[in-house]
């Protein structure tokens, strides 16, 4: 249907019909602002419109959600204050090297398919052509992308600036996402935030990684980053919320600085 597919606010899909819908309407999921996967047995047990509260909204326990959110707000506030000098220096470097905005804004997909604007420091030339990147991501999700130098990424991406490559090396470009955490679109710990076109390629197993808020860091970031295949990333993300604990979140936070400083799995 191409660009004729209209945007819509919400879509409720039975999980056993998800893959059929994705194949029949390949752009529908990409153009829907929030998608709810409803277990087939749950649909059969309801006589009225399904309620979208409870476990569909978040698989984490109520007390755990409160603790996780409190940690997010506290550390995001502290992190933004501490990171301010670094952000100012990065902003100056970006502006001096290439024309264009300092901040890069991009629509990403959060918990249960909810869209939000992710913030990053711009690391690429302004108004670049992302066709090659889109093709690579599609191949990565299908399991057909080649790994160059042991990582699943466009290592020699010509869009990335010299300053941008340095910022990416130490994840400085992602510091503005602390604001996304503060606003509640992201969490400090969770799956990597996905692009709408990526989500349009997900099967119902991959969609399960969207059951919780995406994270600034998470199991993918400390578990290998770009060295992992898409299937391995999905397994890590689903296992994260299936066996979530506050202690595990703290463990991921403590492991993150070492991974960032060493550049483990980065490209």
């Amino acid at each position: 249907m191409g660009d004729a597919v209209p945007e819509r606010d919400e879509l409720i899909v039975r999980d056993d019909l998800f893959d059929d819908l994705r194949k029949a309407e390949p752009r529908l999921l990409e153009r829907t602002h929030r998608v709810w996967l409803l277990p087939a047995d749950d649909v059969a047990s309801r006589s009225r419109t399904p309620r979208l509260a409870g476990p569909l909204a978040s698989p984490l326990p109520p007390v755990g959600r409160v603790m996780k959110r409190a940690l997010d707000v506290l550390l995001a506030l502290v992190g933004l204050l501490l990171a301010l000098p670094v952000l100012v220096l990065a902003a100056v470097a970006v502006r001096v090297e290439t024309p264009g905005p300092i901040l890069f804004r991009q629509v990403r997909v959060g918990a249960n398919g909810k869209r939000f604007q992710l913030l990053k420091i711009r690391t690429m030339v302004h108004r670049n052509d992302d066709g090659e990147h889109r093709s690579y991501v599609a191949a990565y999700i299908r399991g057909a992308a080649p790994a160059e130098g042991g990582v699943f990424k466009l290592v020699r991406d010509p869009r990335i600036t010299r300053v941008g490559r340095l910022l990416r090396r130490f994840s400085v470009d992602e510091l503005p996402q602390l604001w996304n955490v503060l606003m509640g679109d992201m969490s400090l710990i969770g799956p990597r935030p996905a692009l709408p076109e990526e989500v349009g390629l997900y099967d119902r197993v991959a969609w399960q990684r969207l059951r919780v808020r995406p994270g600034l860091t998470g199991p993918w970031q400390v578990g290998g980053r770009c060295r992992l295949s898409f299937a391995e990333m999905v397994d890590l993300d689903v296992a994260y919320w299936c066996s979530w604990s506050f202690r595990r979140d703290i463990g991921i936070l403590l492991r993150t600085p070492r991974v960032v400083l060493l550049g483990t799995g980065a490209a």
Side-chain angles (χ1 to χ4, degrees):
M1 294 181 65
D3 292 331
V5 178
E7 289 195 4
R8 56 192 301 160
D9 291 329
E10 289 191 327
L11 179 67
I12 304 171
V13 186
R14 261 175 47 182
D15 63 358
D16 60 331
L17 300 178
F18 182 86
D19 289 345
D20 291 338
L21 175 67
R22 179 179 61 85
K23 293 172 183 175
E25 300 286 353
R27 292 208 63 199
L28 181 60
L29 297 174
E30 180 183 333
R31 296 182 64 80
T32 300
H33 289 248
R34 193 177 183 96
V35 178
W36 304 87
L37 286 194
L38 205 62
D41 55 355
D42 195 20
V43 175
S45 67
R46 300 176 187 270
S47 58
R48 298 182 180 180
T49 302
R51 291 181 296 109
L52 300 182
L56 279 178
S58 173
L60 307 185
V63 174
R65 292 199 297 271
V66 173
M67 294 173 64
K68 187 175 177 66
R69 182 59 185 153
L71 184 69
D72 284 346
V73 173
L74 175 63
L75 293 188
L77 281 171
V78 173
L80 282 170
L81 290 174
L82 294 178
L84 187 58
V86 177
L87 288 171
V88 170
L89 289 174
V92 171
V94 168
R95 178 53 59 87
V96 168
E97 184 180 26
T98 58
I102 295 170
L103 282 180
F104 175 67
R105 304 170 188 268
Q106 189 176 50
V107 175
R108 294 293 180 103
V109 181
N112 286 313
K114 183 181 179 181
R115 307 296 180 86
F116 69 95
Q117 268 208 342
L118 178 138
L119 300 177
K120 297 181 71 173
I121 296 177
R122 181 173 60 84
T123 59
M124 297 184 176
V125 294
H126 188 41
R127 294 176 180 171
N128 59 76
D129 182 4
D130 65 349
E132 185 179 1
H133 177 260
R134 286 172 178 261
S135 297
Y136 186 88
V137 169
Y140 175 65
I141 293 174
R142 294 194 308 268
E148 185 175 348
V151 295
F152 292 97
K153 199 164 187 177
L154 293 175
V155 177
R156 297 178 180 84
D157 193 332
R159 301 174 300 160
I160 302 175
T161 64
R162 286 178 298 176
V163 168
R165 199 168 295 280
L166 180 63
L167 295 179
R168 283 173 170 237
R169 172 67 175 74
F170 297 104
S171 299
V172 174
D173 60 314
E174 297 184 358
L175 288 176
Q177 290 167 44
L178 288 167
W179 180 255
N180 290 122
V181 173
L182 200 58
M183 292 296 99
D185 294 318
M186 294 178 62
S187 175
L188 288 172
I189 307 100
R192 182 186 65 82
L195 291 162
E197 56 265 29
E198 295 177 24
V199 173
L201 299 172
Y202 283 5
D203 59 19
R204 63 174 178 168
V205 176
W207 186 268
Q208 297 305 316
R209 67 186 300 271
L210 305 178
R211 288 292 303 278
V212 293
R213 288 182 181 131
L216 187 59
T217 184
W220 175 79
Q221 289 87 340
V222 301
R225 297 170 81 178
C226 297
R227 293 178 181 174
L228 302 177
S229 68
F230 180 72
E232 289 171 326
M233 180 177 71
V234 170
D235 287 345
L236 279 178
D237 290 338
V238 174
Y240 165 76
W241 63 255
C242 283
S243 58
W244 179 88
S245 71
F246 191 68
R247 181 178 178 179
R248 187 179 183 194
D249 270 8
I250 297 298
I252 290 174
L253 278 178
L254 293 177
R255 290 170 62 191
T256 297
R258 182 176 184 274
V259 170
V260 170
L261 290 174
L262 293 179
T264 307

